[in-house]
Every structure is written in C-alpha cells, then in structure tokens.
Amino acid sequence: MMPRRKINGIIRLFRPELPLAAGMCVVIGQLLALGAFPPLRVVGLGFACGFFLSASALILNDYFDLEVDRINAPQRPLPSGLLSEWEVIVLGVVVALAGLAAALALNSLAFGVSVFVWLLGFLYNWKLKAAGLWGNLIVAASVAMTFILGGIGVGQTWNLLVWTFGLIAFVFDLAEEIAGDAMDVERDRKRDSRSIAILYGKRTAVLLSALLFGLMIALTFVPVVWGGLGWLYLLPILVTDVVLVFFVIRLLKSQTPAAGRRAMRGLYISASLGLLAFLIGSFFA
C-alpha cells in the first residue's frame, strides 16, 4: 500500500482546484455548443480530458521548477523528498495519457487538439516560462482551449458562443498570469524572466492586469447582448462580476506579494464558482 505521505504529495502535485476548473470548462463548452446538457458519457470524457491534461501540466511544472523550488518552495512534494524526480515524470506522463485517451474517445479532432495543447504546456514548462508576455499568452491560450475542446468534443468546432467563452477565459487568464508575475518578481529574476513586471515595473503589470480583468468583465455580457443566453446565465454572471470587481480593487490596493496572491486567489475562486453556478443552473433548467 502506498504511504499516506506519498499520497498527500501526489494530491499536492495535482493542485486539484485547477484541474477541476479545467474539466468544468470543457463540460461548459459542450453545454454551450449543444444548447443542452450533453449525455453523461460525453460529460465524463470531456471532464476527464480537461482534468488530466491540466493536472499533467501542473505536475511537469513542478519537475522543471525543481531547482528554483529548492530555494523558494522547499516544502513542495519534489524538493521536500516526498516524491522522486522519476516518480513525478512517470505520474505526469500517465496522467497526460489518461487525458489524451479521453479526448480520443470523443473524436479524432479532439485528440489532435489535445495533443497540441499538451505540447504547448510542455514547451512552456520546459523553455518558455521565462519568456514574459509570450509565456503568459501560451498559458492563456491553453486555458481558452478548454472551452473550445468542449465544442470540438460534441462536433461543434466553430460554435460562436463557445469561442466567445474561450475569449473570456483567455483574457481572464492573461490578466491572472501578468498579475502572478508581479507577485513573483524576486523568484522570476532568478530564472532571468522577461516578465512585464521585471521589464516595466510591478505597478505597471498590476495596472495592466486590472485593465484586462475589466475587459473580461465587459466581455461576459456579450452573450446576453446578442441573445445567446438568458437569465440562467445573467444571474450568476452578475453576482460573479460584482465579486470580481471587489477582488480587482483588492489587487490594485495590495502592498505585498502575499496580499496580491490572496486577491488573485479570490478572483480565481469567484470565477470558478460563477461557472459552477451556471453549470448547475443549466443542468436543472
């Protein structure tokens, strides 16, 4: 039987809230594309695809960040010795294969796009994390593709509503990545990062992030304006947007990296709960 400490280390590598959100976004993409809740088999495969591809990227991120984490985050499972480098590599590959298998069970195009998304994540973790804005764009594009994968998985590759949600996710994650770099300036300097915060200053990065969050909030009303979604979408999104504005203000006022990270976590959790509320409302509609 696997020791409890090792199981705990694996769970911490997964950072479950992030893969759960990725799987949920794929399912929402399916829902938006079909205009109805998909069959449970399709929901399960779509969720598994998003969950495992996201988890694989996070696991391999810890492998490639090992030397930096030895100094800045020695409590992480890999530098603390809870898991070996070989175990992390095997886990990352097995989890990736599980996600790709789920995509292949949906259709061949979903599989091809999933391979591309996984390769983007691998390249980011391996070489492009220090590329500044280019790295931010790659992560944001990968997040946006969760919604697109949902549409592709149900045969609705070019559904306009799905792509709109993908754009909203892209802008949100780009804002989050830029803000995250502003909170990690000292750590990023050790890897010779060319982040916006390092090149132009932390305050500039935070202001740009806040502007992008504002753009994202404005984009959330596009589906209502054209009549694509009704009150089941509008009600949770109004509540979510108000909470997002609150945390954006907290981010702008943050004086320390810890305060900024708390505001960012609030932004992420608020957006995830808003999507979950929309998903639940759609299921019972």
Side-chain angles (χ1 to χ4, degrees), residues 69-192:
D69 285 346
R70 287 191 200 278
I71 300 170
N72 295 307
Q75 75 281 1
R76 294 290 300 154
L78 190 50
S80 68
L82 280 177
L83 296 166
S84 69
E85 293 181 50
W86 177 245
E87 286 173 326
V88 171
I89 292 172
V90 171
L91 181 63
V93 171
V94 169
V95 169
L97 290 175
L100 294 175
L104 184 59
L106 287 169
N107 58 57
S108 58
L109 181 57
F111 174 74
V113 171
S114 295
V115 170
F116 176 72
V117 170
W118 185 85
L119 286 174
L120 274 183
F122 180 84
L123 287 172
Y124 172 79
N125 285 323
W126 180 34
K127 289 291 186 182
L128 299 177
K129 189 173 292 186
L133 181 58
W134 286 109
N136 299 151
L137 290 168
I138 286 174
V139 175
S142 298
V143 171
M145 287 306 298
T146 56
F147 288 98
I148 312 304
L149 269 171
I152 292 171
V154 295
Q156 297 285 326
T157 303
W158 301 110
N159 184 283
L160 187 57
L161 195 54
V162 172
W163 280 85
T164 301
F165 267 69
L167 177 61
I168 292 169
F170 175 85
V171 176
F172 178 87
D173 201 75
L174 181 59
E176 195 174 45
E177 287 293 312
I178 292 171
D181 286 346
M183 303 306 133
D184 288 333
V185 169
E186 297 307 317
R187 181 180 181 182
D188 285 347
R189 281 201 177 102
K190 294 175 182 177
R191 60 161 63 99
D192 296 322

Side-chain angles (χ1 to χ4, degrees), residues 1 13 19 45 54 64 85 92-93 100 105 112 124-125 179 184 197 227 240 249 277:
M1 183 179 293
L13 275 181
L45 290 172
S54 174
F64 285 111
E85 293 181 50
V93 171
L100 294 175
Y124 172 79
N125 285 323
D184 288 333
T240 302
I249 293 171

Side-chain angles (χ1 to χ4, degrees), residues 221-277:
F221 293 99
V222 170
V224 178
V225 171
W226 82 39
L229 294 173
W231 68 271
L232 279 174
Y233 167 78
L234 184 58
L235 187 59
I237 211 64
L238 279 173
V239 175
T240 302
D241 284 347
V242 170
V243 179
L244 289 175
V245 169
F246 170 78
F247 282 112
V248 169
I249 293 171
R250 291 280 298 271
L251 178 63
L252 286 169
K253 290 183 175 180
S254 63
Q255 298 297 314
T256 65
R261 290 189 189 98
R262 285 194 296 271
M264 289 171 58
R265 183 167 179 78
L267 285 161
Y268 183 84
I269 292 174
S270 301
S272 298
L273 290 177
L275 287 173
L276 181 60

